[in-house]
Structures are given as structure tokens and as C-alpha cells.
Amino acid sequence: MRLPDPALVVLVGPSGAGKSTWAAGRYRTEEVVSSDALRGVVGSGPHDLDASADAFALLETVVAARLGRGLTTVVDTLGLDADRRLAWLAAARAAGLPAVAVRMHTPDALCRQRNAARDRPVPAPVLAAQLKRAALVGTALDLEGWDLVHVVDTDEAPRVPEEAPRRVEGHTPRRGPDDRRSSQGLRVVLQVSRFPWGEDPAGWLRSVALAADEAGFAGLALMDHLIQIPQVGRAWEPIPEPWVTLGMLAGLDTRLDLGTLVTPVTFRPAGVVAKAAATLDALTGGRCFVGIGAGWWAREHAAYAVPFPSARERLDLLEDAIRTMRALWASGTKAYAGGRVDLPETTGYPRPAGRIPVVVGGGGERRTLRIAAELGDACNVASDPETLDRKIEVLRAHCRDVGRDPAEVAVTVLDLPVVGRDRADAWARVERLRGRSPAAAFARRTHAGTVADQRDRYGALADRGVDTVFLGLGDLAGPEDVLALADLVG
Ligand code: UTP
Ligand code: MG
């Protein structure tokens, strides 16, 4: 519907009805004269009620001046005061401009919900009084002589975000609308373990992440090591701190899930990991995951003065860490008594935007897979078919033991293939990467082949019950290598 223009437009409706939002979508900022904005001009801010008298005096001056010049003037106040309305109507008549009242007809519950979501809500009794007056204003407007009374109906579903769903241990992993899957039904997440970024670390990271998003990857995972591991590169090659790096990637416009694969539980107290992950989840609207493991490399711990307890103790730490994170991510602030982990309170803000999936890394059959079965949303094991079947069997057995539905614990694999444009290119890469390993053994271990070869293999992984493949490239150089995988992940 087109309203007369130029015109005087008087907004009418309680707080949270959507008056300012409606006006902002239709008029230039300069055309909207808002009592809240003027409170901010003459007072300490838009809600400085002590500044109301000065703000309204200024508002009247601006309205009169604009109408006097024949300029469209949108009066953004509650509009519930009949005397004020009639004065503006008279001023429009005097200026020869049509006068329009716009009544925001918004359900009371929605106004209350929006009001509650604000940083400085109007006190509940004040809002209740406004709602009462607003219910009666329709009749008054019809009798006042406006050239047009335009009613804006807001019966659409509230757009205020719902409270995050309550998180329960052992709840099915989320499957949102952004659950990207390949044609074979797999989620394929790019695992980045090497960072040949030359002189431009941020530019390289950005280009790789944008390429991953464009290629259709479901997410991007970062390895967490203090020194580059010998399996991937040289100790003097860069290996960035993952939470800092993920924070940068969170600022890019992508739909990628972002997380670690895996963070050793020894590096940071679990509560601090929970804080980092909740922050990342809040910043990305629910795209964070936490891959976590017991840690294995003594050298990096020694070099950074990080304690490296025995394997048994590290597995205990892993178990406690997951319980601690879950407790801190759960709603409320109540104390947590988990037996092994006791927290006097679980005050954690920002709250995660959704349930943060925990991926338990490692194929240790007695403890690691048991921890995954009991506490994880997923396990992460190696992708070679011989051991995969066995690990899945052990995981399922642990699930039965602890009374967990195996469908709630996704199987994910870390897959480190050598992928070539064609057969010749695949072999050239094998030759470059194999170090002292015999070429045939290296090619077999890395499933060297083309994208089509990898697709066949991924089909077989999906058939075995794999949910997610974390795909790492041992020779990742830049975005082109990522884009070349589009047919594998799409
Ligand atoms: P407004 O800030 O537009 O309400 O919307 P208002 O009527 O001008 O309220 P007062 O009188 O100044 O207090 C209130 C909240 O509702 C959201 C806005 O983003 C804002 O946070 N809103 C508004 C929606 O979500 N959808 C809409 O269609 C309109
Ligand atoms: Mg407003």
C-alpha cells in the first residue's frame, strides 16, 4: 500500500510494536522524528526519561519546521496521547499536507517478548498500561479526522530468537537446515593441518575457508598442536593457535561449521575450552564443534611447560573435561555435582547458540571409544577400512553397555588422501610426498587417486555407517586444492 507523500505520518503503538522498525524500512533517517532519538540528543541516551520534556520540546520544533517546509515528517513516539496527536494533525492541515496515522497492530504477547529481549526493557507495569491504551486507540483514531488511518498487522510469527533448547547429555546431535551433505550422504569437513601462508597468514586462511565454503564443505577443522607434528611438516613451519584462528574464520561470511580436530585436553582447563567454544558458537550462530582427545605428543608439552600426565590420567581428564563443558553449556547457573566433577555454579555467558557437538578423537578401544559412547556426540577414528569396521563394532558394544542409543554417537573419520587432477598428477604427488616410504605402500596408505577414486571410497564409507569425513590434504597449498574437491564433497 502506498501512503501519500509528502505527508505527516504519526506512528501509534506500544513499546516493541515495531514502529521504529516500520519507519526505518520506509523513510530516510532525516524524515523520522523520534522522541527516543532526541532523548539521546539532549539526554544520556534514548531511554533517559529525565530528558523527556527537553526531547519533546525539540521534537515539536523539528515537526513544525519540517511541516512548514512541506517535508514528509514521520513522528515516532508512542502516539498514544490524543492531545499531542491532534496538535500534529492541526499543524499538517495548516501546512496543507495530508495527515496519516499508522497504527501498529501487534499482539500484546509479541510486544512483551520483544520488550523483554531489549537491553533496557520498559518496566512490565508501564508496558501493561501502554497495551491497555493501545487497545482503545483504534476507535479514537477513527473519530479524529485523519486523512488515512493505516493499520499495520503483525500477525507473523515472532522473530525474536527462541531460548536455546535445553541441553541434555546424550541428546541426538543437531541436524539443522545447514546440515550440508555430499550426494553420498556424508558431511565432509576440511581438516587443515598445514599452513603454507607465506607473507599473508590471514589472506591465506581467508581464501582457503572461502574456497571450502564454495566447494560445499560442511565445515572446517583445525589441528591443535604447539609445534607442527612430524607427520605433517617441519617443526619450524607455522601451526597457529586454533581458537584465535577460528575466531578470525568466524568473521567470514560462510556457512562452515568451525572447530578443532582435535584439541588435546592437556592444553587448557576444560572450563576455558568451554568458554572459547561457547563464544565461537555464539559468534557463529551455532556453527561450533569441539573435537577433543587425550593428547599424545610429549615434546610439545615439554617445550611449552605444559604438564603431560600418564595416559590413564589424560583419559580421566578427557572424561572430566566433557562433563565440565556440558555442565557449563547447559542452561541455568546451578551447581553441578557429577561425582568426579563438582562445580559450585555453572554460570556461563555468552550461552552457546545451540548444542555444541563434542567429537571424541582417538580409536583406543578400552577407554577412548567408551568415553565417546558415554559422553560424545561422535567418535573420530582412522578411515582405513580394515580397522574402521572393528572400531565401529567396539563403539556399538560400548553404547550397549552404557545404555546409549548408538544412533546418537556419530562415526567420523579422519581421512588423509592424496588427490590428483588425474592419475599422473596423483602419482607425481605421491612421489613428492612419500619421503622414505616406498611409493606403493604410501599410495595405498593415502588412497592416492583422482576425485572419482575418492568418491568410490566415500560411498563405501557411507555404507559402513560413517557420518562425517574430516578430509585433510597432506599437500594443501591453497584455495585451488580445496576447490578441486567440489565434486567429492557436493
Ligand atoms: P521497534 O523498536 O521497532 O519497536 O521494535 P517500537 O514500536 O519502535 O518500540 P518503542 O516504542 O520504540 O519502544 C521492537 C523490537 O522488535 C523487533 C525489532 O528489531 C526490535 O528489536 N521487530 C520489530 C521485529 O523483530 N520484527 C518486526 O517486524 C518489527
Ligand atoms: Mg521505537
Side-chain angles (χ1 to χ4, degrees), residues 243-277:
W243 296 109
V244 171
T245 310
L246 292 166
M248 188 215 112
L249 298 179
L252 302 177
D253 187 15
T254 78
R255 288 163 50 201
L256 297 170
D257 286 350
L258 298 172
T260 52
L261 196 82
V262 298
T263 184
V265 71
T266 44
F267 283 5
R268 304 166 192 83
V272 178
V273 178
K275 170 63 77 176

mmCIF file of all heavy atoms in Angstrom, residues 243-277:
data_model
loop_
_atom_site.group_PDB
_atom_site.id
_atom_site.type_symbol
_atom_site.label_atom_id
_atom_site.label_comp_id
_atom_site.label_asym_id
_atom_site.label_seq_id
_atom_site.Cartn_x
_atom_site.Cartn_y
_atom_site.Cartn_z
ATOM 1 N N TRP A 243 41.875 -21.536 18.513
ATOM 2 C CA TRP A 243 40.710 -20.707 18.878
ATOM 3 C C TRP A 243 40.852 -19.298 18.347
ATOM 4 O O TRP A 243 39.871 -18.691 17.896
ATOM 5 C CB TRP A 243 40.482 -20.729 20.393
ATOM 6 C CG TRP A 243 40.143 -22.094 20.888
ATOM 7 C CD1 TRP A 243 40.928 -22.924 21.635
ATOM 8 C CD2 TRP A 243 38.924 -22.837 20.622
ATOM 9 N NE1 TRP A 243 40.279 -24.128 21.848
ATOM 10 C CE2 TRP A 243 39.051 -24.098 21.245
ATOM 11 C CE3 TRP A 243 37.758 -22.554 19.918
ATOM 12 C CZ2 TRP A 243 38.043 -25.067 21.192
ATOM 13 C CZ3 TRP A 243 36.771 -23.519 19.862
ATOM 14 C CH2 TRP A 243 36.911 -24.747 20.491
ATOM 15 N N VAL A 244 42.069 -18.784 18.357
ATOM 16 C CA VAL A 244 42.298 -17.464 17.765
ATOM 17 C C VAL A 244 41.969 -17.513 16.275
ATOM 18 O O VAL A 244 41.280 -16.649 15.726
ATOM 19 C CB VAL A 244 43.764 -17.027 17.977
ATOM 20 C CG1 VAL A 244 44.068 -15.773 17.179
ATOM 21 C CG2 VAL A 244 44.045 -16.809 19.455
ATOM 22 N N THR A 245 42.467 -18.573 15.632
ATOM 23 C CA THR A 245 42.291 -18.687 14.188
ATOM 24 C C THR A 245 40.820 -18.882 13.825
ATOM 25 O O THR A 245 40.305 -18.279 12.875
ATOM 26 C CB THR A 245 43.138 -19.867 13.675
ATOM 27 O OG1 THR A 245 44.466 -19.725 14.204
ATOM 28 C CG2 THR A 245 43.192 -19.878 12.164
ATOM 29 N N LEU A 246 40.135 -19.714 14.612
ATOM 30 C CA LEU A 246 38.710 -19.937 14.354
ATOM 31 C C LEU A 246 37.928 -18.640 14.554
ATOM 32 O O LEU A 246 36.944 -18.374 13.860
ATOM 33 C CB LEU A 246 38.168 -21.044 15.270
ATOM 34 C CG LEU A 246 38.706 -22.445 14.967
ATOM 35 C CD1 LEU A 246 38.386 -23.408 16.111
ATOM 36 C CD2 LEU A 246 38.149 -22.977 13.647
ATOM 37 N N GLY A 247 38.379 -17.830 15.502
ATOM 38 C CA GLY A 247 37.729 -16.541 15.715
ATOM 39 C C GLY A 247 37.815 -15.673 14.470
ATOM 40 O O GLY A 247 36.854 -14.999 14.095
ATOM 41 N N MET A 248 38.977 -15.715 13.811
ATOM 42 C CA MET A 248 39.105 -14.961 12.565
ATOM 43 C C MET A 248 38.177 -15.538 11.498
ATOM 44 O O MET A 248 37.481 -14.804 10.791
ATOM 45 C CB MET A 248 40.558 -15.016 12.098
ATOM 46 C CG MET A 248 40.821 -14.095 10.926
ATOM 47 S SD MET A 248 42.029 -14.809 9.783
ATOM 48 C CE MET A 248 40.968 -15.090 8.390
ATOM 49 N N LEU A 249 38.134 -16.870 11.398
ATOM 50 C CA LEU A 249 37.297 -17.501 10.369
ATOM 51 C C LEU A 249 35.814 -17.246 10.645
ATOM 52 O O LEU A 249 35.000 -17.198 9.722
ATOM 53 C CB LEU A 249 37.567 -19.006 10.319
ATOM 54 C CG LEU A 249 39.011 -19.388 9.939
ATOM 55 C CD1 LEU A 249 39.190 -20.901 9.941
ATOM 56 C CD2 LEU A 249 39.391 -18.814 8.573
ATOM 57 N N ALA A 250 35.485 -17.068 11.936
ATOM 58 C CA ALA A 250 34.087 -16.795 12.291
ATOM 59 C C ALA A 250 33.619 -15.477 11.693
ATOM 60 O O ALA A 250 32.427 -15.280 11.471
ATOM 61 C CB ALA A 250 33.923 -16.763 13.812
ATOM 62 N N GLY A 251 34.558 -14.584 11.438
ATOM 63 C CA GLY A 251 34.202 -13.279 10.876
ATOM 64 C C GLY A 251 33.938 -13.302 9.384
ATOM 65 O O GLY A 251 33.532 -12.297 8.804
ATOM 66 N N LEU A 252 34.193 -14.440 8.739
ATOM 67 C CA LEU A 252 33.939 -14.536 7.290
ATOM 68 C C LEU A 252 32.484 -14.918 7.055
ATOM 69 O O LEU A 252 31.853 -15.568 7.886
ATOM 70 C CB LEU A 252 34.840 -15.599 6.663
ATOM 71 C CG LEU A 252 36.336 -15.391 6.832
ATOM 72 C CD1 LEU A 252 37.087 -16.562 6.218
ATOM 73 C CD2 LEU A 252 36.762 -14.083 6.185
ATOM 74 N N ASP A 253 31.991 -14.544 5.907
ATOM 75 C CA ASP A 253 30.593 -14.829 5.586
ATOM 76 C C ASP A 253 30.509 -16.220 4.950
ATOM 77 O O ASP A 253 30.518 -16.352 3.731
ATOM 78 C CB ASP A 253 30.105 -13.741 4.630
ATOM 79 C CG ASP A 253 28.623 -13.847 4.384
ATOM 80 O OD1 ASP A 253 27.949 -14.562 5.166
ATOM 81 O OD2 ASP A 253 28.142 -13.234 3.423
ATOM 82 N N THR A 254 30.482 -17.257 5.789
ATOM 83 C CA THR A 254 30.353 -18.624 5.274
ATOM 84 C C THR A 254 29.328 -19.371 6.111
ATOM 85 O O THR A 254 28.885 -18.886 7.131
ATOM 86 C CB THR A 254 31.683 -19.417 5.364
ATOM 87 O OG1 THR A 254 31.869 -19.851 6.725
ATOM 88 C CG2 THR A 254 32.866 -18.619 4.897
ATOM 89 N N ARG A 255 28.976 -20.560 5.667
ATOM 90 C CA ARG A 255 28.081 -21.417 6.441
ATOM 91 C C ARG A 255 28.860 -22.561 7.074
ATOM 92 O O ARG A 255 28.278 -23.538 7.533
ATOM 93 C CB ARG A 255 27.003 -21.992 5.517
ATOM 94 C CG ARG A 255 25.965 -20.962 5.077
ATOM 95 C CD ARG A 255 25.183 -21.443 3.875
ATOM 96 N NE ARG A 255 24.659 -22.781 4.058
ATOM 97 C CZ ARG A 255 24.284 -23.595 3.059
ATOM 98 N NH1 ARG A 255 24.415 -23.188 1.807
ATOM 99 N NH2 ARG A 255 23.803 -24.784 3.305
ATOM 100 N N LEU A 256 30.186 -22.463 7.093
ATOM 101 C CA LEU A 256 31.001 -23.572 7.580
ATOM 102 C C LEU A 256 30.857 -23.779 9.081
ATOM 103 O O LEU A 256 30.893 -22.813 9.850
ATOM 104 C CB LEU A 256 32.483 -23.282 7.280
ATOM 105 C CG LEU A 256 32.888 -23.162 5.823
ATOM 106 C CD1 LEU A 256 34.316 -22.624 5.729
ATOM 107 C CD2 LEU A 256 32.764 -24.505 5.111
ATOM 108 N N ASP A 257 30.720 -25.033 9.506
ATOM 109 C CA ASP A 257 30.915 -25.346 10.912
ATOM 110 C C ASP A 257 32.408 -25.168 11.207
ATOM 111 O O ASP A 257 33.251 -25.443 10.354
ATOM 112 C CB ASP A 257 30.505 -26.796 11.200
ATOM 113 C CG ASP A 257 28.990 -26.955 11.194
ATOM 114 O OD1 ASP A 257 28.287 -25.933 11.164
ATOM 115 O OD2 ASP A 257 28.514 -28.106 11.203
ATOM 116 N N LEU A 258 32.737 -24.723 12.417
ATOM 117 C CA LEU A 258 34.126 -24.421 12.749
ATOM 118 C C LEU A 258 34.500 -25.093 14.067
ATOM 119 O O LEU A 258 33.750 -24.993 15.040
ATOM 120 C CB LEU A 258 34.320 -22.904 12.881
ATOM 121 C CG LEU A 258 34.043 -22.065 11.629
ATOM 122 C CD1 LEU A 258 34.092 -20.580 11.970
ATOM 123 C CD2 LEU A 258 35.052 -22.388 10.527
ATOM 124 N N GLY A 259 35.644 -25.744 14.094
ATOM 125 C CA GLY A 259 36.041 -26.364 15.354
ATOM 126 C C GLY A 259 37.439 -26.958 15.277
ATOM 127 O O GLY A 259 38.191 -26.737 14.332
ATOM 128 N N THR A 260 37.750 -27.721 16.307
ATOM 129 C CA THR A 260 39.069 -28.327 16.421
ATOM 130 C C THR A 260 38.991 -29.813 16.072
ATOM 131 O O THR A 260 37.984 -30.466 16.289
ATOM 132 C CB THR A 260 39.575 -28.224 17.868
ATOM 133 O OG1 THR A 260 38.563 -28.734 18.745
ATOM 134 C CG2 THR A 260 39.866 -26.783 18.237
ATOM 135 N N LEU A 261 40.042 -30.339 15.536
ATOM 136 C CA LEU A 261 40.178 -31.796 15.397
ATOM 137 C C LEU A 261 41.652 -32.112 15.550
ATOM 138 O O LEU A 261 42.376 -32.008 14.615
ATOM 139 C CB LEU A 261 39.662 -32.307 14.060
ATOM 140 C CG LEU A 261 39.444 -33.817 14.077
ATOM 141 C CD1 LEU A 261 38.114 -34.132 14.715
ATOM 142 C CD2 LEU A 261 39.552 -34.430 12.712
ATOM 143 N N VAL A 262 42.060 -32.527 16.658
ATOM 144 C CA VAL A 262 41.364 -32.386 17.930
ATOM 145 C C VAL A 262 42.206 -31.530 18.854
ATOM 146 O O VAL A 262 43.398 -31.375 18.635
ATOM 147 C CB VAL A 262 41.138 -33.759 18.633
ATOM 148 C CG1 VAL A 262 40.264 -34.650 17.782
ATOM 149 C CG2 VAL A 262 42.444 -34.436 19.001
ATOM 150 N N THR A 263 41.539 -30.993 19.862
ATOM 151 C CA THR A 263 42.284 -30.250 20.862
ATOM 152 C C THR A 263 42.672 -31.206 21.991
ATOM 153 O O THR A 263 41.825 -31.949 22.474
ATOM 154 C CB THR A 263 41.484 -29.033 21.375
ATOM 155 O OG1 THR A 263 42.312 -28.290 22.275
ATOM 156 C CG2 THR A 263 40.203 -29.425 22.095
ATOM 157 N N PRO A 264 43.954 -31.247 22.364
ATOM 158 C CA PRO A 264 44.360 -32.120 23.469
ATOM 159 C C PRO A 264 43.852 -31.561 24.796
ATOM 160 O O PRO A 264 43.967 -30.369 25.048
ATOM 161 C CB PRO A 264 45.893 -32.074 23.429
ATOM 162 C CG PRO A 264 46.254 -31.466 22.115
ATOM 163 C CD PRO A 264 45.123 -30.568 21.753
ATOM 164 N N VAL A 265 43.296 -32.407 25.595
ATOM 165 C CA VAL A 265 42.677 -31.969 26.836
ATOM 166 C C VAL A 265 43.706 -31.397 27.809
ATOM 167 O O VAL A 265 43.377 -30.663 28.736
ATOM 168 C CB VAL A 265 41.907 -33.155 27.468
ATOM 169 C CG1 VAL A 265 42.868 -34.202 28.007
ATOM 170 C CG2 VAL A 265 40.966 -32.687 28.537
ATOM 171 N N THR A 266 44.972 -31.711 27.555
ATOM 172 C CA THR A 266 46.045 -31.253 28.436
ATOM 173 C C THR A 266 46.377 -29.771 28.272
ATOM 174 O O THR A 266 47.011 -29.178 29.135
ATOM 175 C CB THR A 266 47.328 -32.036 28.109
ATOM 176 O OG1 THR A 266 47.448 -32.096 26.674
ATOM 177 C CG2 THR A 266 47.267 -33.439 28.670
ATOM 178 N N PHE A 267 45.966 -29.165 27.148
ATOM 179 C CA PHE A 267 46.437 -27.802 26.860
ATOM 180 C C PHE A 267 45.762 -26.723 27.691
ATOM 181 O O PHE A 267 46.376 -25.745 28.070
ATOM 182 C CB PHE A 267 46.224 -27.455 25.379
ATOM 183 C CG PHE A 267 47.225 -28.070 24.443
ATOM 184 C CD1 PHE A 267 48.189 -28.958 24.891
ATOM 185 C CD2 PHE A 267 47.204 -27.750 23.089
ATOM 186 C CE1 PHE A 267 49.109 -29.525 24.022
ATOM 187 C CE2 PHE A 267 48.117 -28.305 22.212
ATOM 188 C CZ PHE A 267 49.065 -29.195 22.673
ATOM 189 N N ARG A 268 44.456 -26.861 27.877
ATOM 190 C CA ARG A 268 43.719 -25.790 28.563
ATOM 191 C C ARG A 268 42.751 -26.433 29.546
ATOM 192 O O ARG A 268 42.177 -27.469 29.236
ATOM 193 C CB ARG A 268 42.909 -24.962 27.562
ATOM 194 C CG ARG A 268 43.740 -24.358 26.430
ATOM 195 C CD ARG A 268 42.843 -23.850 25.309
ATOM 196 N NE ARG A 268 43.605 -23.534 24.104
ATOM 197 C CZ ARG A 268 43.971 -24.419 23.188
ATOM 198 N NH1 ARG A 268 43.659 -25.703 23.321
ATOM 199 N NH2 ARG A 268 44.675 -24.055 22.146
ATOM 200 N N PRO A 269 42.518 -25.765 30.665
ATOM 201 C CA PRO A 269 41.480 -26.285 31.563
ATOM 202 C C PRO A 269 40.157 -26.379 30.804
ATOM 203 O O PRO A 269 39.848 -25.529 29.965
ATOM 204 C CB PRO A 269 41.404 -25.226 32.665
ATOM 205 C CG PRO A 269 42.687 -24.465 32.582
ATOM 206 C CD PRO A 269 43.118 -24.522 31.150
ATOM 207 N N ALA A 270 39.390 -27.433 31.101
ATOM 208 C CA ALA A 270 38.171 -27.690 30.329
ATOM 209 C C ALA A 270 37.204 -26.516 30.347
ATOM 210 O O ALA A 270 36.540 -26.222 29.349
ATOM 211 C CB ALA A 270 37.477 -28.941 30.871
ATOM 212 N N GLY A 271 37.131 -25.823 31.490
ATOM 213 C CA GLY A 271 36.215 -24.693 31.570
ATOM 214 C C GLY A 271 36.596 -23.597 30.587
ATOM 215 O O GLY A 271 35.728 -22.917 30.033
ATOM 216 N N VAL A 272 37.900 -23.441 30.371
ATOM 217 C CA VAL A 272 38.352 -22.405 29.441
ATOM 218 C C VAL A 272 38.046 -22.825 27.996
ATOM 219 O O VAL A 272 37.678 -21.996 27.161
ATOM 220 C CB VAL A 272 39.859 -22.121 29.657
ATOM 221 C CG1 VAL A 272 40.361 -21.086 28.663
ATOM 222 C CG2 VAL A 272 40.101 -21.644 31.086
ATOM 223 N N VAL A 273 38.151 -24.106 27.711
ATOM 224 C CA VAL A 273 37.756 -24.605 26.379
ATOM 225 C C VAL A 273 36.253 -24.388 26.193
ATOM 226 O O VAL A 273 35.791 -23.955 25.129
ATOM 227 C CB VAL A 273 38.111 -26.099 26.209
ATOM 228 C CG1 VAL A 273 37.662 -26.601 24.847
ATOM 229 C CG2 VAL A 273 39.614 -26.305 26.382
ATOM 230 N N ALA A 274 35.482 -24.682 27.247
ATOM 231 C CA ALA A 274 34.028 -24.477 27.168
ATOM 232 C C ALA A 274 33.719 -23.021 26.861
ATOM 233 O O ALA A 274 32.841 -22.717 26.059
ATOM 234 C CB ALA A 274 33.358 -24.889 28.481
ATOM 235 N N LYS A 275 34.457 -22.126 27.494
ATOM 236 C CA LYS A 275 34.249 -20.687 27.269
ATOM 237 C C LYS A 275 34.564 -20.303 25.825
ATOM 238 O O LYS A 275 33.805 -19.604 25.159
ATOM 239 C CB LYS A 275 35.113 -19.903 28.256
ATOM 240 C CG LYS A 275 35.216 -18.419 28.015
ATOM 241 C CD LYS A 275 33.891 -17.706 28.129
ATOM 242 C CE LYS A 275 33.461 -17.506 29.562
ATOM 243 N NZ LYS A 275 32.196 -16.712 29.637
ATOM 244 N N ALA A 276 35.705 -20.787 25.323
ATOM 245 C CA ALA A 276 36.092 -20.469 23.937
ATOM 246 C C ALA A 276 35.043 -21.004 22.962
ATOM 247 O O ALA A 276 34.625 -20.311 22.030
ATOM 248 C CB ALA A 276 37.469 -21.062 23.627
ATOM 249 N N ALA A 277 34.606 -22.242 23.192
ATOM 250 C CA ALA A 277 33.661 -22.856 22.270
ATOM 251 C C ALA A 277 32.303 -22.157 22.337
ATOM 252 O O ALA A 277 31.668 -21.922 21.308
ATOM 253 C CB ALA A 277 33.508 -24.341 22.595
#
